[in-house]
Amino acid sequence: FTCTKNYLILSTMDNVKTKLDFYKIENNGSTLRKIGNEESEARIVAASVRPYDSQEDDQFFYTTSGYLQPTTLLMADASLVEKETESNTDEENFVTRTLKSLPPQYDATDLEVEQRFCKSPDGTDIPYFLVKKKGIEMNGKTPTLLYGYGGFEISLGPKYIASVGISWLERGGAYVEANIRGGGEFGPSWHQAALKGNRNKAYEDFIAVGEDLCQSGLCRPKTLCARGGSNGGLLMGNMFTMRPDLWGAIHCAVPLLDMKRFHTLLAGASWMAEYGNPDTEDWEKFLYKYSPYHHIDKDVKDYPPMLVTTSTRDDRVHPAHARKMVKKLWDTNPDWPIHYYENIEGGHGGAADAKQSAFMSTLAYDFMFDTLSKNAESME
């Protein structure tokens, strides 16, 4: 929350959307009276507020961004909320002027954002955000990129990602972010729901989102790809081994993949509170179940095309995870479409400067989009 001279502004998250409520400070600060709409509507944006001069003024700085909107700084006035009339029903009627905005990096004119929900196998509602062209034909041919993380209480949500806009959305693809368990979208309990022996919940949630996208008609498995890095790379490894039939392509970046030895490599020991300790009964009870390196199945005929990327200088997740996984896949069946790129610089981010970052992003997006586009062309 933040306070101006006469108002308290409360910013909350409601189903991974931002909600602002305004209260009038009365009786020398002893009581608060809600003003504006009784039930303010949550919006698919990231927003923050801070006062202009909390001792003398009711103006405040309002910063917003979203999937289609670059970061924008606005000047606003809390007192305008009380002056709302039937002719002034704008949900942001408190905004007085735009101070500054980052320039847009891609054309978002014909794009729209919506939030959808699907059910995980245990009945839990899983939210996800979908960015797509307005009026898109639901013929299953849209190249659709599903991104996920699901760990360490890290939340996904509305933000402006120029690389996605330029490399995916402008080319006609749809972009999806899944708010699976293990993240922090609904607080500590959402994170704790997928710790250690319950890690399967995060993977079941991600699969449920993928299946829901296919059932909606937006895409089919051959036109659906998955992407994730670090802990999200572990997610991708498990998508590859658990549900190879659901994906047309996978990008697995700087991943954990060998959960038997993760704690012996670089920073891995610090993650045992998240995953478990493979030197104890945790290995047989649950860690083995989601160690992708140990679940490569020689009898699977059609694994999806997968690009694995890592960095020689990653000081967080050892590149051995990626190297071993790819080597084992190549040795098991050279016909599986497995691709590997290791940058010799860059640390855990996979790139040391803007030029390398642009190259790595282009490599990944082109691999995924070209693969899905070819699949779409071959569909009836």
Side-chain angles (χ1 to χ4, degrees):
F1 71 91
T2 193
C3 291
T4 66
K5 182 181 179 180
N6 297 296
Y7 300 91
L8 180 145
I9 307 167
L10 180 65
S11 176
T12 57
M13 293 296 292
D14 182 6
N15 273 330
V16 207
K17 297 185 290 186
T18 299
K19 182 178 180 181
L20 290 184
D21 289 302
F22 293 80
Y23 296 84
K24 182 72 174 287
I25 302 172
E26 299 178 329
N27 300 323
N28 294 320
S30 62
T31 59
L32 296 173
R33 175 173 60 86
K34 194 174 188 307
I35 60 173
N37 293 330
E38 188 63 32
E39 287 296 331
S40 56
E41 184 176 346
R43 302 177 60 239
I44 305 177
V45 296
S48 63
V49 296
R50 58 187 178 89
Y52 175 72
D53 183 347
S54 60
Q55 301 299 314
E56 301 292 337
D57 205 294
D58 287 320
Q59 294 187 95
F60 62 95
F61 295 109
Y62 180 46
T63 305
T64 67
S65 65
Y67 289 111
L68 306 180
Q69 175 213 323
T71 301
T72 302
L73 176 63
L74 306 151
M75 181 60 80
D77 190 336
S79 67
L80 294 178
V81 178
E82 278 199 292
K83 299 175 183 178
E84 186 174 13
T85 65
E86 290 184 4
S87 61
N88 183 15
T89 58
D90 185 351
E91 60 187 5
E92 291 190 344
N93 68 310
F94 50 80
V95 172
T96 57
R97 65 187 186 277
T98 299
L99 298 177
K100 210 164 193 178
S101 178
L102 291 176
Q105 299 298 314
Y106 62 92
D107 183 9
T109 306
D110 295 325
L111 299 175
E112 62 183 357
V113 184
E114 61 182 85
Q115 185 184 46
R116 295 182 178 181
F117 291 82
C118 65
K119 283 197 180 293
S120 202
D122 66 358
T124 303
D125 287 326
I126 308 300
Y128 64 91
F129 292 104
L130 169 62
V131 188
K132 62 179 179 62
K133 283 188 177 294
K134 297 175 182 176
I136 197 167
E137 189 175 356
M138 305 297 277
N139 59 7
K141 295 185 177 182
T142 302
T144 303
L145 169 55
L146 174 57
Y147 179 82
Y149 188 78
F152 296 92
E153 207 170 335
I154 293 174
S155 301
L156 302 182
K159 58 187 173 297
Y160 193 75
I161 312 174
S163 58
V164 171
I166 296 169
S167 304
W168 200 265
L169 295 171
E170 279 194 340
R171 298 164 81 177
Y175 176 70
V176 183
E177 280 188 353
N179 305 116
I180 61 178
R181 281 173 284 187
E185 288 87 345
F186 296 95
S189 63
W190 197 247
H191 170 227
Q192 293 161 7
L195 285 179
K196 297 184 178 181
N198 290 321
R199 201 81 196 166
N200 60 292
K201 300 296 184 183
Y203 307 142
E204 290 169 2
D205 294 352
F206 196 80
I207 290 169
V209 175
E211 291 177 335
D212 194 62
L213 289 167
C214 292
Q215 291 168 5
S216 73
L218 177 68
C219 60
R220 297 180 189 173
K222 286 294 184 181
T223 52
L224 173 64
C225 66
R227 188 186 193 205
S230 191
N231 173 76
L234 174 60
L235 171 66
M236 294 302 104
N238 277 289
M239 294 304 98
F240 181 81
T241 56
M242 290 179 174
R243 286 297 305 272
D245 60 307
L246 188 55
W247 318 104
I250 293 175
H251 176 214
C252 179
V254 291
L256 288 88
L257 295 166
D258 179 1
M259 301 309 288
K260 179 64 174 176
R261 297 189 65 243
F262 82 91
H263 64 314
T264 67
L265 301 170
L266 298 177
S270 65
W271 307 325
M272 288 193 288
E274 184 84 9
Y275 301 123
N277 184 352
D279 288 337
T280 68
E281 62 180 6
D282 289 355
W283 173 248
E284 292 185 355
K285 288 179 66 177
F286 54 83
L287 264 170
Y288 169 77
K289 296 177 183 177
Y290 60 82
S291 180
Y293 179 74
H294 296 89
H295 284 86
I296 297 170
D297 186 351
K298 62 181 177 58
D299 295 324
V300 173
K301 181 181 178 182
D302 296 317
Y303 274 121
M306 180 168 66
L307 171 64
V308 181
T309 57
T310 188
S311 168
T312 307
R313 304 213 171 199
D314 192 334
D315 58 358
R316 198 177 307 174
V317 178
H318 200 290
H321 284 277
R323 293 169 182 167
K324 289 167 57 178
M325 182 77 169
V326 170
K327 180 64 164 63
K328 188 174 181 180
L329 286 165
W330 283 345
D331 288 347
T332 303
N333 189 337
D335 293 330
W336 287 335
I338 309 302
H339 310 276
Y340 180 72
Y341 187 88
E342 179 173 327
N343 191 20
I344 62 172
E345 298 179 293
H348 193 51
D353 53 35
K355 184 177 180 180
Q356 290 183 12
S357 180
F359 171 78
M360 295 298 289
S361 293
T362 302
L363 182 71
Y365 285 119
D366 278 359
F367 161 72
M368 294 183 290
F369 199 88
D370 290 349
T371 301
L372 299 190
S373 294
K374 290 176 183 177
N375 290 342
E377 290 173 2
S378 65
M379 290 166 53
E380 295 181 358

